[in-house]
Amino acid sequence: MDKICESTREKKPRMYRKRARRDFLRLSKSKKRSAKAIRSASRKQLQYIRRDVGYIVQFVQNGVKLTEPQKNRMNLVTTVYERQRLMLESGIHSIPRRVVSLAQPWIRPIVRGKTHANTEFGAKLHISLVDGYARIERLDFEAYNESEGFWKAVYRFYDRYGRWLERILADKIYRNRKTLSFCKERGIRLSGPALGKPPKDQNLSRQLKKQGYQDSCDRNVVEGLFGTGKTAYGLGRISVRLEDTTRCVIGVALLLGNLMKRLRLSLFQVSRLESIE
């Protein structure tokens, strides 16, 4: 609104900004928030937005031309307003493809259930690790189930190397009857305990436990890759604002990790040859 009035030299209408801010802080700082108080505060904020949008519509009808960024922001604000109004009137508390940021409308809230942050915002990355080298299987800003990409990752490996995997070190979320039968038909060993009761043979039971422990240790490489990517390659400090540049930063970070893996392997081979000579 300020930029429109400055460019057109129109008289700035009454915006009620301080009142809207005061109403918001009254609710956010209160320790006990009843459902009635939340609905009342949401209704007030929607009324403020409706009034401001009405002012902009009047300016446009009077001949004011908006720039392309202003048009996009106006459409986004209108979309958010309509969705919030629908949630308030219908009494629902969630809506598909919820917009949580006007600057980055493609970002979605992803519920992870972690101790430090129950909800996270940003890209959700699904990778596969073969011989220490990472590949991006899926990169999306929408919340999705990682097990959905299991089949594509396995078939992509077969297309690249012309053979099936010997073993797959996956999380528990990937272990279900379909994936187990799929791996069994193709001679792939999927990590984790077998479904059903444990075997009665004590020796076999000990072997399976030992094998499961080794698989969990080997799988720690994947978790360590995410930790190294966040601390050393900037995955935990992505400061770019555009969707394409965010994807580019994530891809470059994984590429640097693969290059460092290759460099360490080359240096190890050179030092080994020098020691033999």
Side-chain angles (χ1 to χ4, degrees):
M1 181 66 71
D2 295 338
K3 293 183 179 179
I4 295 175
C5 295
E6 290 176 0
S7 60
T8 59
R9 295 183 179 180
E10 295 284 345
K11 182 180 179 181
K12 187 184 299 183
R14 184 174 296 178
M15 302 292 295
Y16 295 100
R17 295 180 180 178
K18 294 182 179 180
R19 185 180 299 180
R21 181 65 177 174
R22 185 173 63 249
D23 293 339
F24 168 75
L25 292 177
R26 184 183 295 113
L27 178 69
S28 62
K29 292 184 177 181
S30 61
K31 295 182 179 180
K32 296 182 179 180
R33 306 172 189 173
S34 63
K36 184 178 179 180
I38 294 175
R39 288 180 59 85
S40 177
S42 299
R43 186 178 294 106
K44 286 183 179 180
Q45 297 298 325
L46 290 176
Q47 289 174 354
Y48 295 136
I49 296 174
R50 183 182 62 185
R51 182 185 293 106
D52 296 342
V53 170
Y55 292 148
I56 298 177
V57 171
Q58 290 179 1
F59 285 147
V60 173
Q61 291 176 352
N62 293 333
V64 176
K65 294 184 179 180
L66 302 179
T67 62
E68 196 64 28
Q70 289 175 348
K71 290 180 181 179
N72 296 333
R73 180 59 61 89
M74 182 66 180
N75 294 332
L76 182 60
V77 170
T78 305
T79 302
V80 174
Y81 167 77
E82 293 295 337
R83 290 183 176 181
Q84 293 295 325
R85 184 178 62 84
L86 176 63
M87 293 172 60
L88 180 65
E89 294 177 353
S90 59
I92 59 178
H93 302 283
S94 62
I95 195 167
R97 299 183 59 82
R98 180 185 175 189
V99 178
V100 294
S101 174
L102 295 179
Q104 296 174 310
W106 56 86
I107 291 180
R108 303 286 178 262
I110 302 175
V111 179
R112 300 300 300 273
K114 296 182 179 179
T115 304
H116 66 282
N118 186 40
T119 306
E120 295 181 351
F121 303 88
K124 193 171 185 179
L125 182 62
H126 185 206
I127 68 170
S128 62
L129 199 66
V130 180
D131 295 332
Y133 298 98
R135 288 180 179 271
I136 298 177
E137 299 296 339
R138 184 175 178 180
L139 175 59
D140 203 340
F141 293 93
E142 300 285 343
Y144 64 87
N145 193 338
E146 295 90 341
S147 61
E148 299 173 357
F150 177 84
W151 316 94
K152 293 181 180 180
V154 175
Y155 279 116
R156 285 172 183 168
F157 179 89
Y158 182 81
D159 294 338
R160 286 194 299 264
Y161 300 100
R163 60 182 179 86
W164 297 108
L165 288 157
E166 295 181 2
R167 65 170 181 167
I168 298 178
L169 305 179
D171 200 357
K172 294 181 180 180
I173 194 173
Y174 297 93
R175 293 183 55 81
N176 52 55
R177 296 189 181 276
K178 290 184 179 180
T179 55
L180 288 174
S181 60
F182 173 83
C183 294
K184 186 176 181 180
E185 292 175 358
R186 290 158 179 79
I188 304 173
R189 184 173 65 83
L190 185 59
S191 64
L195 298 179
K197 297 181 179 180
K200 295 182 179 180
D201 190 354
Q202 297 296 329
N203 294 329
L204 180 60
S205 179
R206 282 193 293 268
Q207 291 178 2
L208 293 176
K209 288 183 179 180
K210 185 177 180 180
Q211 188 180 69
Y213 176 76
Q214 185 62 40
D215 289 343
S216 64
C217 294
D218 295 339
R219 192 183 174 277
N220 287 335
V221 179
V222 182
E223 302 297 338
L225 178 66
F226 281 108
T228 305
K230 290 180 179 180
T231 56
Y233 303 118
L235 285 180
R237 302 179 298 274
I238 299 177
S239 58
V240 295
R241 296 178 65 87
L242 300 180
E243 182 178 1
D244 294 337
T245 51
T246 302
R247 295 178 183 273
C248 181
V249 168
I250 295 174
V252 170
L254 293 179
L255 177 62
L256 289 175
N258 292 337
L259 291 177
M260 290 299 296
K261 168 72 176 179
R262 184 63 181 177
L263 179 61
R264 286 193 296 267
L265 182 60
S266 300
L267 292 176
F268 174 75
Q269 291 175 350
V270 171
S271 62
R272 187 176 181 183
L273 289 174
E274 291 179 353
S275 62
I276 293 176
E277 293 177 356

